[in-house]
Amino acid sequence: MINKIWFFMILIAVIFAITAGKLELLSEEIFSSLSTSVDLAIGLIGGMVLWCGILKVAEKSGLVDNISRLIRPVMKLIFRDVPSRGNAMGAMVMNITSNMLGLGNAATPMGLKAMQELQTLNHKKEMATNAMCMFLVVNAAPIQFIPATVMSLRSSMGSTNPGIIILPAILTSSIALTTGVIACKLLEKTSGGGR
Amino acid sequence: MSYIIPVIIVVILTYGHMKGVKVYEAFIEGAKEGLIITYRIFPYIAAMLIAVGMLRRSGGLDFLLMLLSPISNAVGIPQEVMPLVIMKPLSGSGALGVLADILKRVGPDSLTGIIACTIMSSTETIFYTITVYFGSIGIKNIRHTLAAALIAEIAGVVAAVIICKMIFKV
């Protein structure tokens, strides 16, 4: 999908430039975009080094386990079909906790593990269970307490206050998450499938 | 609000220190990962900045935004943010490139810039996640997943606009 989008972005740009007779502007733009991206990456390194370092300390101090304990009761409520002490629940809790802390690298392996465990509870192996659909929806709107990449980008762009987005981001994703969970519960009755 | 970052840092470091973590060594270990992540995402950002830059300079982007303006006007989404709204569900690194382009234009501390950053940090790359997660276990029928995830995404965009306008009234 992204391959097509990228290709068509460039194709459309060239067609527009030809019709407007400003093809020479495009070559200037390509090189100015490139130098922008280099400046950006240099700035980004600083923020990423800071946040990934801090998050590593959080990870090693067991903060992930503590947050897991806090969200487990909520998870039990949302995923009624999944045994609350089983491997599937454990992997899902770890995945969501990692997402909350912005530990994307840890979240994906845990998410894949959770899907495998959920599949062992599935009776129709090619059809998604309610729990799987819900897990993906919860992943679509993760509540992030430390949006490290965006904060790094903001500081590299000269923001005077990179952390200002934390509060609106938490509020926004809470609303998105709640809406998604409700929509998922309502839709699961109409989309076929068993449990 | 401007002291939130030092507070987060000192809380995490203090907690780690109390738990017996070698905070300096852990920080360095994580910082190295941060360096590698930046190195890995750079090609994606460069590719997307070139494409968005070309599209904008040629007038193509304005044309696409004009086609979308009925939607953005109805919800009150600033027009500059629309490319991000479209890119975010499809590609995380692509969206980061688009966000960088937006911030360069409107400034990271403007209302539009803050709305864009809020959208970026509160929704996920759903098409990618759905493909990878279901693909990994051979699920063919994903039922209502995409519909519910898109509803969450749209709710997130609308909420970002409303909440940012409420908090950062101008």
Side-chain angles (χ1 to χ4, degrees):
Chain A
M1 176 104 86
I2 193 70
N3 289 303
K4 280 188 194 146
I5 292 173
W6 192 69
F7 172 69
F8 279 108
M9 283 170 83
I10 290 175
L11 187 69
I12 292 170
V14 171
I15 292 171
F16 265 86
I18 290 172
T19 33
K22 42 184 186 179
L23 203 54
E24 76 286 350
L25 281 180
L26 276 193
S27 66
E28 181 196 315
E29 178 63 37
I30 291 172
F31 291 104
S32 90
S33 295
L34 272 176
S35 72
T36 305
S37 61
V38 172
D39 293 344
L40 185 69
I42 299 289
L44 202 56
I45 288 174
M48 290 303 279
V49 159
L50 170 71
W51 287 111
C52 293
I54 291 295
L55 286 169
K56 185 57 94 181
V57 176
E59 200 183 326
K60 293 214 167 183
S61 60
L63 208 60
V64 175
D65 299 327
N66 285 344
I67 295 177
S68 299
R69 233 169 292 164
L70 287 177
I71 65 165
R72 208 175 256 273
V74 184
M75 295 281 288
K76 264 198 253 181
L77 213 65
I78 303 177
F79 296 94
R80 289 237 174 93
D81 306 336
V82 180
S84 63
R85 290 273 146 222
N87 290 340
M89 185 62 91
M92 286 200 293
V93 169
M94 289 298 287
N95 163 268
I96 287 159
T97 311
S98 308
N99 267 332
M100 287 175 133
L101 289 175
L103 303 168
N105 285 346
T108 308
M110 273 305 169
L112 294 174
K113 173 106 189 329
M115 291 304 277
Q116 268 170 26
E117 297 290 344
L118 288 173
Q119 182 71 320
T120 64
L121 306 170
N122 188 1
H123 300 301
K124 296 176 188 160
K125 294 297 180 196
E126 293 202 340
M127 190 190 269
T129 60
N130 288 343
M132 288 176 187
C133 301
M134 184 62 85
F135 180 55
L136 261 299
V137 171
V138 172
N139 256 287
I143 297 180
Q144 266 195 61
F145 292 110
I146 305 177
T149 316
V150 175
M151 285 198 293
S152 307
L153 185 65
R154 289 175 59 74
S155 30
S156 85
M157 287 287 179
S159 166
T160 53
N161 193 350
I164 204 170
I165 56 148
I166 294 179
L167 179 68
I170 292 175
L171 293 175
T172 299
S173 46
S174 308
I175 291 174
L177 182 61
T178 315
T179 313
V181 168
I182 294 171
C184 193
K185 283 277 181 208
L186 292 176
L187 288 169
E188 71 185 22
K189 297 189 178 79
T190 59
S191 70
R195 38 180 297 173
Chain B
M1 285 281 272
S2 57
Y3 37 78
I4 190 162
I5 289 179
V7 168
I8 291 175
I9 292 176
V10 82
V11 165
I12 291 179
L13 289 183
T14 310
Y15 185 79
H17 182 72
M18 275 160 39
K19 290 278 169 181
V21 176
K22 292 176 180 152
V23 288
Y24 177 72
E25 285 169 25
F27 180 87
I28 298 294
E29 188 188 332
K32 281 182 189 159
E33 284 174 20
L35 199 59
I36 294 167
I37 293 172
T38 318
Y39 167 79
R40 272 210 312 251
I41 59 178
F42 173 69
Y44 298 94
I45 295 177
M48 203 45 73
L49 276 179
I50 291 171
V52 176
M54 287 173 72
L55 202 54
R56 187 184 299 277
R57 187 63 83 89
S58 69
L61 191 67
D62 288 336
F63 178 73
L64 294 177
L65 290 180
M66 200 188 71
L67 293 181
L68 291 169
S69 63
I71 305 172
S72 56
N73 289 341
V75 193
I77 305 170
Q79 231 182 38
E80 296 93 330
V81 179
M82 281 309 279
L84 178 69
V85 174
I86 294 163
M87 188 58 82
K88 180 72 214 205
L90 302 170
S91 158
S93 36
L96 197 62
V98 173
L99 178 65
D101 180 73
I102 295 171
L103 294 187
K104 193 176 80 183
R105 252 148 249 281
V106 301
D109 294 326
S110 66
L111 180 63
T112 305
I114 292 173
I115 290 176
C117 290
T118 304
I119 292 173
M120 183 74 190
S121 24
S122 54
T123 56
E124 230 348 289
T125 312
I126 51 178
F127 285 97
Y128 172 80
T129 316
I130 287 177
T131 313
V132 173
Y133 278 26
F134 279 131
S136 74
I137 54 171
I139 296 278
K140 301 253 158 49
N141 182 354
I142 67 164
R143 295 172 61 212
H144 55 286
T145 309
L146 187 59
L150 278 176
I151 289 173
E153 187 102 25
I154 293 165
V157 171
V158 175
V161 173
I162 295 171
I163 287 171
C164 290
K165 281 186 180 168
M166 269 165 55
I167 298 182
F168 307 102
K169 254 188 274 197
V170 271

